[in-house]
Structures are given as structure tokens and as C-alpha cells.
Amino acid sequence: MKSIMESQEVFETYAKIDLAYYGLKMLNEEMNKPQTPFEKAIDNSTGSGSDRVKKWKEDSIELLNQIIEGKKIIGADFSGDKETLKRVINI
């Protein structure tokens, strides 16, 4: 694995990976936030719940792809991220 100080590109790649992991954390916190009964009723009647899941899935796939590409650049193991991506795709 390359040192974070090896070059500007490597440093930026580490930062992008960290930001993508942070983005995944925020997405998951948003999806796991408890809903009030009123919010659940609105989601069920309008279908916005499935829209939220679709948006979460698209954003998660994009972030995981960024992480995998970044880890390829720095020479880090990305097998766990690839497995997570497969599970998200199959949701």
C-alpha cells in the first residue's frame, strides 16, 4: 500500500476514500433513522419509501465504486468493499 505522503495524487485518493466512507455512514444513519407513524403512513401511501431506498442504493453504489477505484490506486485491499457492493446491488 502506498504511503499517504507519496504524492499529491495518493494524498487526494486517501481523502476521497475517507470522504466516501463518511458519505456511506451518513446515508446509513439517514436510512436507519426511526420514522414517526405519520412519516411511515405517508411513505406507504405515496411510495416515497421505495424512492428513498432507490436513492440510497444509487448513492451507496456510487460511493462504493469510488472507494474501490481509490483503493486500486493506492494498492489497498478492496475485497470487503467489493462484497458490500454486491450485497447493495442485490437489495
Side-chain angles (χ1 to χ4, degrees), residues 1-33:
M1 193 162 72
K2 296 180 181 178
S3 166
I4 193 169
M5 300 306 276
E6 183 173 308
S7 68
Q8 182 176 347
E9 178 191 22
V10 172
F11 183 83
E12 288 173 0
T13 301
Y14 273 96
K16 288 176 185 177
I17 292 168
D18 285 345
L19 184 60
Y21 275 124
Y22 181 77
L24 283 174
K25 178 184 174 201
M26 294 293 103
L27 282 172
N28 284 326
E29 286 178 5
E30 181 66 29
M31 285 302 293
N32 292 322
K33 187 170 42 171

Side-chain angles (χ1 to χ4, degrees), residues 24 64 79-89:
L24 283 174
L64 285 163
S79 59
D81 303 296
K82 209 168 183 178
E83 281 300 313
T84 303
L85 178 60
K86 286 179 188 176
R87 281 187 267 140
V88 169
I89 289 172

